[in-house]
Every structure is written in C-alpha cells, then in structure tokens.
Amino acid sequence: MSQAGFRVGAEFSSYSELHREFRRYQRDCAVQLWTRHSRTIEAQRRRAPKRPMNDALKFAEIDYACIHGGKLFRARGSGKRTNQRTNKTKCPCVIKVRLSPDGDKFVVKEMVESHNHSVQEAERERCPRQRRFDKAVQNNRTDIKENLGEAADQGIQREEPKKEKWGSPKMNRTDLEMMVPALALVKDGTVVVVVSKANVLQAIYFQDSSMKLTFEKFPEVLLLDATYRWEGLRLPTYLLLVIDGNGESELVCLWFVQNEERETIKQLLRIFKQKNPAAERIQTVMCSGRPLRGEVVSEVLPHSKPLTCLFHALRTFRTDVTTEKLHVTIGQKNLLLEILHNMCYAASAEEYDLLYHQLLDTNTQRAIDYFHKNWHEIRSQWVEGFKHESETYLTSTINRVELLSQKLQAMVGRFTDSATFVQDLLKAIDTLRTECDYRAVRMFQKAPLVALEASSAASAYFNLLTGFAFSRVQRELEEAQWVTFLSVEPEQAQPVSRRRAVVTGQTSCQCAFHTSMKLPCRHILAFRQLRGCDLFEPALCSTRWTREHYLRNHPVFRTSADLPAASSPLPPQQPESPSEQTTVQQERYRQAFKVAQKLSMLAAECPAEEFDGCLAVMTAVTNIWARGGQVQVTEINVNCTRGERSSAPPNVPSDIDNIHQN
C-alpha cells in the first residue's frame, strides 16, 4: 500500500496514482511543475538489462521541476527586443521519482521544495495550463459551462443574432428601472438610485467590492468620461477609472444616467465621495472639456485639481472658433486656432503669456471676450505646462476611458432588454479584469531576457519598481548621460532645457516628469552622478510604483482574509538572467574577432621571410593564454630596416623574445 502524500520515501504502485498525487500536490502547494526529465522502462532496460522492472509503470525515472526552474533558456538574439520575457529564474524546486529496488513501485528519492519567487494560488491559476480547455471540452460549450462554471461561459463568444431587415428599434429610456434588480444581485456590490423630487429615477450608481478595493489603493488620479454608443440603448454611461501601480486602467465605478444635468452629476459625485473615504486622497480629476464638469469637481472635491482632456479642448476650440460665431474672417479664424493650439502645448507660464499677448494683438474682440469668459481663468486645467505640476502620471487625455469604452461595447454587442444589457456588461467587465489580473501575475512570473548588470542602478530599480514604472526610469537613466548644466551649485543646478527653465537638486526637480510621475528624472540622476552620489535612491520613487505595494494591494494577490505581515510574500528579486553570461561572451567574441581578423590580414601582407616569425608570435600568445598565463608586448625599433634588424646584436630581443609570460 502506497504512502499518501509527496515526500521523500513515498511509494506509488502505478503511474496513474503517481500522476494523481502529482496534480494534488500542485493544487495544494499552489505551484506549477513540469516534467524536466523522464526515462521509459524500455530505455532503462537497455542500460540495465538484468534489473527487474514492471512494464506497467511506463517510466523508470521522472524529474519534476518548477516552471521557473529546470533547463535554462539561452537567448540567441542581440537584445534589441526588450519586451521578450521568460519564466526561467533558476528556481531550485525539484522532485525526483525513481523505481524501487524490486522495480514494482515508484519511490520519491529527492525533494527540494524551496522557491526563489513568490508562491501564490493566484499566480498558478493564471498559468497557461490552468487557463486552457481540454480538447474534449472545447468541442462542447455545454460541457464547459457544466465543468468550469459561469466564469468559463463569460469567456465564450456568443453567436450574434442575424440583423433584422429594418434594424432593432431604440429602447425606451424608462428601461433604466429594469437595471436595478440585476445590479443588486452582484455580491458585495453598492447600488444607489438617484431620483428627482417627483420620484422619477434619474441615475443609478454602481460599484462592486473589487472596484472599491482598487480605488482605495490607487486613488491619486481619477479619469471620468461618458460613453453613449451602446447598440440599441440611449443611455449615457459614465466610466470612472484609476491608474494602478503597473500602469493599468482599472474601472472603479459606473454611473447610468437619464440626463446629464449639473445637479445629477453633482449628486453622483457626492455619493462616490461618501462611499469611498479614499476620495480625500484624489490629486487630479481628468474629464472631458465640458464647462460644467470642472466646476462640479471643484465643488465636491475641492482638494483635487480638475483637468480638461487635451483632445476635447482642441475639439472645443475648433467648434467654437468659427467665422459665424465670432464674426471673423477665414484668415483671422486660422490665426486664432493656431494661437489657441500652441497655448494648449505651452510648457511654461512665460510661453503662455507670450501667446496670450499674440491673441490680444489680433484685435478680434469677440474672440478675446470668448477666451476670457471660458478659458483664461482656468488655464491651469487645460495648458500642458500647468497640468503636470501635480500628479497626473503624464496623462493629458481621457484616451484610457475611450479605449475601455470601445472594448466594453465590442464585448457587449446586441441585447434585447436592460436586464440582459446589465448581465452582459458585468460579464465583459469581469473578462477585462481577468486580462488585467493575468498581466499583473505575468510581471512577477516572467523575467526579461535583457541582462542587467547586477550592481547597476538599473538592476536596483528593477527589483524595486513595477514593470511600467521601471520602463520609465530606465529611459531616464539612459537620457541622464546626455544632460548638461547651465550652472551648478552645491545643492542645486540648472540643466539645459529647450522649453522651460528647470531647477534640480539631488531629491527634487521642477520638470514635468518628476512632478507628475513621482519618479527620479534624468536631471536628478545626472546631478547625483555629478556629485558622486548613488543613482539608486528608493526615496525618489512613490510607494505606489513599488513591487511590494503592488503585490500587497492588488486584488488578484489578496485572499479573503488578510495575511499577517510575516507571511506576506516578498517582491521577487531580479533573477540572474540565464543569458547574461552568454551575451557577455558573445560581445567579447565580436570585439576580439575584429582585432584577430585585422591581425590576420596584416600577417598575410608581411614579406615571405617575416611571415614565419609573425606566425610564431601569434602561436606563442595562443599557447600562453591557453595555459592561463598573461602576456606583455614590448615594441621594438620599427624604424630600422630589415637588414639592420637581421644584423642586430644578440642582446636586442627578437619578435618572439618580446613576449614575456607572467
């Protein structure tokens, strides 16, 4: 009778029993293993023909290794495709199974259960082996739903019904009431209805537990916009997004509204503030260019800075600045649009003031009055140079909301009523959330193939930051080598900047990258290098961008109960790249080959009487290096003629005598 469990000395009487225990071990320990090595009974019998072996066991040797360990991946490229990643991180976990002495059972001979990476169920569940369907199940969608549940059904593309000849009629707006019961069925969800004084439903506020948790951990920048393009439904739907620690767009709230009146939006924003205490930590609210939107944000969230989407601001200018509305000529209209366009991209207050005086010099009073009434007083909300004076993460538009809206519309497709619309929308949100979770897990599972020097600042920042933040810092590290300074003082310096004056120090800078991203910019890094300070400084990076914060607070890595701090997995250290040594050797080979090729050409061009001597010198150097010795070369008098060289006294060294082995 075999012993239960995978441990050294455990025995299994059949391969099916071994495989069943192998699958259970992976599930219980939240690891994903692969068969690194195996040898069949037939192959083993050729090696040991007299040893007894049971043919029913199929295998004589099996080695299971973690997917992050085993055979190392050898990169053969030049490293130009920096996005390539691999699972291999030299994980030592391995389980070795061999035949028993009598050849009738499997015996676990060796087990190494330690890992050099975090081990979580969330990571295992998003490995390709867990996410794929069996072939038998793929052929039958009913089996998928029965075996894998409703979550699997969400990922199946439904067959679209054929379009009717005259198209589907528009749904009535009163169907908004039918959406409330469907939203109320969501577990741990928050549904609030907004009604008018006449008890007429005006809007629905919806937020589930995952949305609340995400907003609580990453509330600094809020993106807000509405979508109107649901097929067959005239229902403005507001999407509220945040940017998480890995640069992903996360949906944190939904508003379904009958109308977009000021009081309705204001009430919904108040509900959002009431239901989310983290709203007090909002630094920036990015929304479309509607005039009332910024005023409402300022009233409800006075501590935050409302910003206008760059695209919407430019589109509003093109709509409002016309010959009919402002009574100007076509030439004046084009000049005004050019000035306003340049104002949007002004990088400093000086540049904005210069363009503002150009606008005044046009003497188009209607255009000037329009600008003063609608834009001049709120220039900090739409001018690029003023936007990034606070945390914006270099976000100038609401393209993230537009992109999410397009994905949801494509996944929802056609529907018959409001209740079906809500069900399809929630499924689409879950699907997009699963994709985002997969990318989050992938960041910790896979290491980049591009080798980083172990002691470099780039390697230290890689271990500290998420992939999104590190890619930004890595570019700043590269650009820091080209930064020059106009003036340098002990505590600060003024780097050369094309569009605005910047003052930088060892821990702060006035450039847009540092103020908006809260990460070390090229100016800080260049000044620290000039002062001889370490380029790696964790205090320069906001906590939200660190791997530890992301791992601790992302919903996919959290369990139903909070784990104690001692048992929380640490962020994975940057693994030693398996291709690092090979890449260095290849680079050295290329450099040495160029020199050796040139040396061979020079030797071939030598006169016949000198070729043997040159070849002897090259052979001597090769032999000394092969023995592990070192070589020093001393140049002889190259100005002497061949006759003088041949008649040199014995104390003058020849070409070979000038090679001294140390």
Side-chain angles (χ1 to χ4, degrees), residues 120-274:
Q120 297 191 43
E121 182 64 25
E123 296 188 15
R124 177 184 175 273
E125 288 302 319
R126 282 161 179 80
C127 288
R129 189 171 300 178
Q130 273 65 244
R131 291 186 293 111
R132 71 184 181 189
F133 293 145
D134 295 334
K135 290 184 178 179
V137 178
Q138 286 179 347
N139 297 330
N140 194 330
R141 294 183 176 181
T142 306
D143 292 343
I144 294 178
K145 187 171 183 179
E146 292 177 356
N147 289 293
L148 300 181
E150 186 178 354
D153 186 48
Q154 295 174 5
I156 302 172
Q157 217 173 19
R158 293 195 312 261
E159 295 181 359
E160 295 290 344
K162 295 182 179 180
K163 284 190 175 182
E164 298 179 5
K165 183 176 181 180
W166 303 106
S168 58
K170 296 291 182 180
M171 297 173 57
N172 196 298
R173 293 189 179 186
T174 56
D175 290 341
L176 185 65
E177 299 177 359
M178 298 174 56
M179 299 170 57
V180 177
L183 293 172
L185 293 176
V186 178
K187 183 179 179 181
D188 297 329
T190 300
V191 181
V192 181
V193 295
V194 178
V195 297
S196 64
K197 295 181 179 179
N199 202 27
V200 177
L201 183 60
Q202 299 294 318
I204 301 176
Y205 172 100
F206 174 75
Q207 191 178 34
D208 62 19
S209 57
S210 180
M211 295 177 181
K212 294 178 183 177
L213 178 61
T214 301
F215 178 75
E216 180 184 353
K217 302 304 178 182
F218 306 99
E220 293 83 4
V221 175
L222 181 66
L223 307 179
L224 169 67
D225 195 32
T227 179
Y228 307 89
R229 296 188 293 270
W230 302 119
E231 186 176 357
L233 180 64
R234 295 176 295 177
L235 181 67
T237 304
Y238 279 75
L239 308 177
L240 281 69
L241 270 66
V242 295
I243 303 174
D244 69 6
N246 197 33
E248 296 280 355
S249 302
E250 294 278 3
L251 183 65
V252 295
C253 195
L254 283 170
W255 299 344
F256 305 97
V257 298
Q258 291 275 32
N259 57 72
E260 297 181 86
E261 295 179 356
R262 174 192 176 95
E263 290 303 320
T264 303
I265 303 301
K266 189 174 181 180
Q267 184 63 25
L268 287 169
L269 201 57
R270 284 174 177 170
I271 296 172
F272 180 78
K273 180 180 179 180
Q274 178 185 0

Side-chain angles (χ1 to χ4, degrees), residues 322-524:
T322 62
T323 56
E324 295 81 8
K325 292 182 179 180
L326 300 182
H327 296 176
V328 294
T329 64
I330 295 179
Q332 290 175 325
K333 183 198 75 170
N334 294 334
L335 177 61
L336 290 171
L337 288 176
E338 181 180 357
I339 294 174
L340 294 175
H341 179 275
N342 293 335
M343 278 185 172
C344 287
Y345 289 96
S348 62
E350 293 77 10
E351 185 176 354
Y352 175 85
D353 291 340
L354 179 63
L355 293 169
Y356 174 67
H357 285 94
Q358 291 182 11
L359 178 65
L360 297 180
D361 291 341
T362 59
N363 294 323
T364 52
Q365 193 58 41
R366 282 180 175 268
I368 295 173
D369 293 341
Y370 159 78
F371 182 76
H372 284 162
K373 179 181 178 181
N374 298 284
W375 300 99
H376 184 59
E377 296 300 327
I378 60 170
R379 55 186 176 275
S380 62
Q381 299 181 17
W382 57 276
V383 178
E384 290 295 289
F386 301 144
K387 279 184 181 180
H388 302 310
E389 292 177 352
S390 58
E391 286 188 63
T392 60
Y393 311 136
L394 297 179
T395 303
S396 297
T397 66
I398 53 174
N399 287 346
R400 288 174 176 265
V401 184
E402 294 285 346
L403 181 61
L404 179 64
S405 172
Q406 292 174 8
K407 290 182 178 179
L408 291 176
Q409 292 163 17
M411 298 174 71
V412 170
R414 299 171 65 91
F415 43 86
T416 56
D417 51 43
S418 297
T420 305
F421 163 72
V422 170
Q423 295 173 3
D424 293 347
L425 179 61
L426 294 178
K427 289 181 180 181
I429 292 173
D430 288 339
T431 301
L432 295 178
R433 188 178 293 161
T434 301
E435 294 178 359
C436 183
D437 292 346
Y438 167 73
R439 291 190 291 270
V441 172
R442 181 177 178 270
M443 181 182 66
F444 291 96
Q445 283 184 336
K446 294 192 173 184
L449 296 181
V450 179
L452 299 174
E453 296 183 13
S455 58
S456 64
S459 177
Y461 280 117
F462 176 87
N463 294 332
L464 176 69
L465 303 174
T466 61
F468 172 80
F470 171 71
S471 63
R472 269 60 180 175
V473 174
Q474 187 178 31
R475 180 179 179 183
E476 296 301 304
L477 284 168
E478 296 171 356
E479 295 295 333
Q481 307 300 323
W482 308 100
V483 173
T484 56
F485 295 95
L486 296 174
S487 62
V488 179
E489 299 178 5
E491 298 298 330
Q492 63 182 25
Q494 184 177 358
V496 175
S497 181
R498 291 179 298 176
R499 300 189 62 186
R500 59 180 297 180
V502 176
V503 177
T504 187
Q506 294 187 17
T507 58
S508 63
C509 184
Q510 297 176 344
C511 70
F513 180 86
H514 180 69
T515 56
S516 64
M517 288 294 295
K518 302 302 179 184
L519 288 171
C521 65
R522 64 191 68 178
H523 310 121
I524 294 178

